[in-house]
Amino acid sequence: MQIPEQYFKSGKIAKELKSWIRENITAGMGLLVIAEKVESEIMRRGGQPAFPTGIGVNDMTAHYAPQENETGKTREADVVKIDYGVHVDGYVADTSVTMTENPNYQMLLEATEKTLQAAIDVVKRDRRIGEVGRAIESTAKSYGFRPITNLSGHTLQQYVVHAGKSIPNTYSPGLPMLNKGDVFAIEPFLTLHDAAGYVVESPQENIFSLVVRKRTGDRELDDLTDRIWNARKTLPFSPRWFNQGYKEGRLMALLKELERRRLVHSYPALVEASGKPVAQFEHTMAIEDGGLSIIT
Ligand code: MN
Ligand code: MN
């Protein structure tokens, strides 16, 4: 089973970005500035962003991507998750790092990184997805933390970030196996032991994707659909990548209309239900003939 070589090109860029982020992103930077820097560094290295760069501060856990009007800045006390993806020809490397200068949360970060490693070690010898979840849950608990139970890793396919199989962060029975040829991301999210341990939707929606390319008969909607398709196919996008030429508020109104017609899907930001900080580490990997390869 041959893994397309573009995965390894995306992965190499994602890996380089990880060191770049650790050297260049510091407390006090604006969230929008961080997202734009990450995305321009991806493009400078010959890749494209696979989705809008997620910046999750503290309890903001996933799918928060700064828009153009973003005013938030990171502070030293914050737990900051940077979740970014690189694609080459639609082949996605999905990864994330968490950073903090808060001594109270150093252990949370360390435990999350160790939990990701424990999950990877399981995949090397056991491809049952339930066992991967079991390792994540038990490793998290052994450090005195708990996993976010309703977020999962996932398989990847060309132009699809969340493909067929989910890899939960807890044990569940009856899940499929990971097979040779599968490319997938494992991403434990850990929070404090007294937290709720699950995420809920927040009203903010700042990530969208095209579900299908279909004519609506409305010229403005069709033009926008074409522009999104040409640039993104079905990969997620940020409105700030498409707002040139629109008056204030117009693009969001068009996206809402496309969503109502089920041509566009939106991803609400997900926040930890009890407001506790969450850390996340993620790698994309592939099962090749020779075994497991970490792509990122
Ligand atoms: Mn990710
Ligand atoms: Mn992911």
Short mmCIF file of all heavy atoms in Angstrom, two decimals, residues 1 11 17 26 42 57 69 72 94 112 120 127 153 156 188 211-212 222 245-246 278:
data_model
loop_
_atom_site.label_atom_id
_atom_site.label_comp_id
_atom_site.label_asym_id
_atom_site.label_seq_id
_atom_site.Cartn_x
_atom_site.Cartn_y
_atom_site.Cartn_z
N MET A 1 0.86 -1.21 0.00
CA MET A 1 0.00 0.00 0.00
C MET A 1 0.89 1.25 0.00
O MET A 1 1.66 1.47 0.93
CB MET A 1 -0.90 -0.02 1.24
CG MET A 1 -1.91 1.11 1.33
SD MET A 1 -3.20 1.13 0.06
CE MET A 1 -4.16 -0.30 0.51
N GLY A 11 3.95 16.90 5.61
CA GLY A 11 4.44 16.59 6.94
C GLY A 11 5.77 17.26 7.24
O GLY A 11 5.98 17.74 8.36
N LEU A 17 7.48 23.84 10.79
CA LEU A 17 6.68 24.89 11.43
C LEU A 17 6.65 24.75 12.95
O LEU A 17 6.53 25.73 13.67
CB LEU A 17 5.25 24.84 10.89
CG LEU A 17 4.81 25.91 9.90
CD1 LEU A 17 4.58 27.23 10.59
CD2 LEU A 17 5.84 26.09 8.80
N THR A 26 5.25 34.12 20.88
CA THR A 26 5.44 34.40 22.30
C THR A 26 4.19 35.06 22.87
O THR A 26 3.35 35.57 22.12
CB THR A 26 6.64 35.36 22.52
OG1 THR A 26 6.46 36.48 21.64
CG2 THR A 26 7.96 34.68 22.20
N ILE A 42 3.66 28.55 6.19
CA ILE A 42 3.30 27.32 5.46
C ILE A 42 3.48 27.55 3.95
O ILE A 42 4.10 26.76 3.24
CB ILE A 42 1.85 26.90 5.78
CG1 ILE A 42 1.73 26.38 7.22
CG2 ILE A 42 1.35 25.84 4.78
CD1 ILE A 42 0.29 26.14 7.69
N VAL A 57 -7.29 29.35 23.21
CA VAL A 57 -6.75 29.91 24.44
C VAL A 57 -7.53 29.34 25.64
O VAL A 57 -8.75 29.46 25.70
CB VAL A 57 -6.81 31.45 24.42
CG1 VAL A 57 -6.31 32.04 25.72
CG2 VAL A 57 -5.98 31.99 23.25
N ASN A 69 -11.53 40.77 12.31
CA ASN A 69 -11.81 41.73 13.39
C ASN A 69 -11.32 41.25 14.75
O ASN A 69 -11.67 41.83 15.78
CB ASN A 69 -13.32 42.02 13.44
CG ASN A 69 -14.12 40.74 13.67
OD1 ASN A 69 -13.56 39.65 13.78
ND2 ASN A 69 -15.43 40.87 13.77
N GLY A 72 -8.17 39.68 20.20
CA GLY A 72 -7.56 38.95 21.31
C GLY A 72 -6.05 38.85 21.21
O GLY A 72 -5.49 38.78 20.12
N ASP A 94 -1.88 17.18 9.68
CA ASP A 94 -2.64 17.90 10.71
C ASP A 94 -1.87 17.73 12.02
O ASP A 94 -1.55 16.60 12.41
CB ASP A 94 -4.04 17.25 10.78
CG ASP A 94 -4.96 17.87 11.81
OD1 ASP A 94 -4.59 18.86 12.45
OD2 ASP A 94 -6.08 17.32 11.97
N THR A 112 0.01 15.76 28.44
CA THR A 112 -0.68 15.63 27.15
C THR A 112 0.28 15.10 26.08
O THR A 112 -0.07 14.24 25.28
CB THR A 112 -1.29 16.98 26.73
OG1 THR A 112 -2.08 17.48 27.81
CG2 THR A 112 -2.17 16.83 25.51
N ILE A 120 0.65 6.56 20.40
CA ILE A 120 1.46 6.17 19.24
C ILE A 120 2.11 4.81 19.50
O ILE A 120 2.13 3.94 18.62
CB ILE A 120 2.52 7.25 18.92
CG1 ILE A 120 1.82 8.52 18.39
CG2 ILE A 120 3.56 6.74 17.92
CD1 ILE A 120 2.72 9.74 18.28
N ARG A 127 -3.62 -2.36 16.38
CA ARG A 127 -4.32 -1.41 15.53
C ARG A 127 -5.80 -1.27 15.86
O ARG A 127 -6.55 -0.68 15.10
CB ARG A 127 -4.13 -1.79 14.07
CG ARG A 127 -2.67 -1.62 13.68
CD ARG A 127 -2.41 -2.07 12.29
NE ARG A 127 -0.98 -2.04 12.03
CZ ARG A 127 -0.40 -2.63 11.02
NH1 ARG A 127 -1.14 -3.32 10.16
NH2 ARG A 127 0.90 -2.56 10.84
N GLY A 153 -9.41 11.84 17.38
CA GLY A 153 -8.57 11.82 16.20
C GLY A 153 -9.40 11.30 15.02
O GLY A 153 -10.58 10.97 15.19
N LEU A 156 -7.64 10.63 7.48
CA LEU A 156 -7.54 11.72 6.50
C LEU A 156 -7.60 11.13 5.10
O LEU A 156 -7.11 10.01 4.87
CB LEU A 156 -6.19 12.45 6.67
CG LEU A 156 -6.00 13.22 7.98
CD1 LEU A 156 -4.56 13.16 8.42
CD2 LEU A 156 -6.44 14.66 7.82
N PRO A 188 -4.89 13.70 21.52
CA PRO A 188 -5.45 13.81 22.86
C PRO A 188 -5.57 15.27 23.30
O PRO A 188 -4.66 16.07 23.07
CB PRO A 188 -4.45 13.05 23.73
CG PRO A 188 -3.21 12.91 22.93
CD PRO A 188 -3.58 13.06 21.49
N VAL A 211 -19.62 21.92 1.00
CA VAL A 211 -20.07 20.53 1.06
C VAL A 211 -20.10 19.95 -0.36
O VAL A 211 -19.70 18.82 -0.61
CB VAL A 211 -21.49 20.45 1.67
CG1 VAL A 211 -22.00 19.02 1.69
CG2 VAL A 211 -21.50 21.04 3.07
N VAL A 212 -20.59 20.76 -1.28
CA VAL A 212 -20.78 20.30 -2.65
C VAL A 212 -20.76 21.54 -3.54
O VAL A 212 -21.11 22.64 -3.11
CB VAL A 212 -22.13 19.53 -2.76
CG1 VAL A 212 -23.30 20.37 -2.31
CG2 VAL A 212 -22.37 19.02 -4.17
N ASP A 222 -23.16 31.90 -6.72
CA ASP A 222 -22.41 30.99 -7.59
C ASP A 222 -20.97 31.44 -7.77
O ASP A 222 -20.05 30.62 -7.81
CB ASP A 222 -23.11 30.87 -8.96
CG ASP A 222 -24.41 30.06 -8.85
OD1 ASP A 222 -24.62 29.42 -7.80
OD2 ASP A 222 -25.21 30.09 -9.80
N GLY A 245 -13.20 42.55 -1.88
CA GLY A 245 -14.25 42.97 -2.81
C GLY A 245 -15.65 42.99 -2.22
O GLY A 245 -16.59 43.39 -2.89
N TYR A 246 -15.81 42.54 -0.97
CA TYR A 246 -17.13 42.56 -0.35
C TYR A 246 -17.23 43.72 0.64
O TYR A 246 -16.26 44.02 1.34
CB TYR A 246 -17.41 41.26 0.42
CG TYR A 246 -17.60 40.06 -0.47
CD1 TYR A 246 -16.62 39.07 -0.52
CD2 TYR A 246 -18.74 39.93 -1.25
CE1 TYR A 246 -16.79 37.96 -1.34
CE2 TYR A 246 -18.91 38.82 -2.06
CZ TYR A 246 -17.93 37.84 -2.10
OH TYR A 246 -18.09 36.75 -2.90
N VAL A 278 -7.41 23.55 28.61
CA VAL A 278 -7.23 22.30 27.87
C VAL A 278 -5.92 22.39 27.09
O VAL A 278 -5.60 23.44 26.52
CB VAL A 278 -8.40 22.09 26.89
CG1 VAL A 278 -8.20 20.82 26.05
CG2 VAL A 278 -9.73 22.04 27.62
#
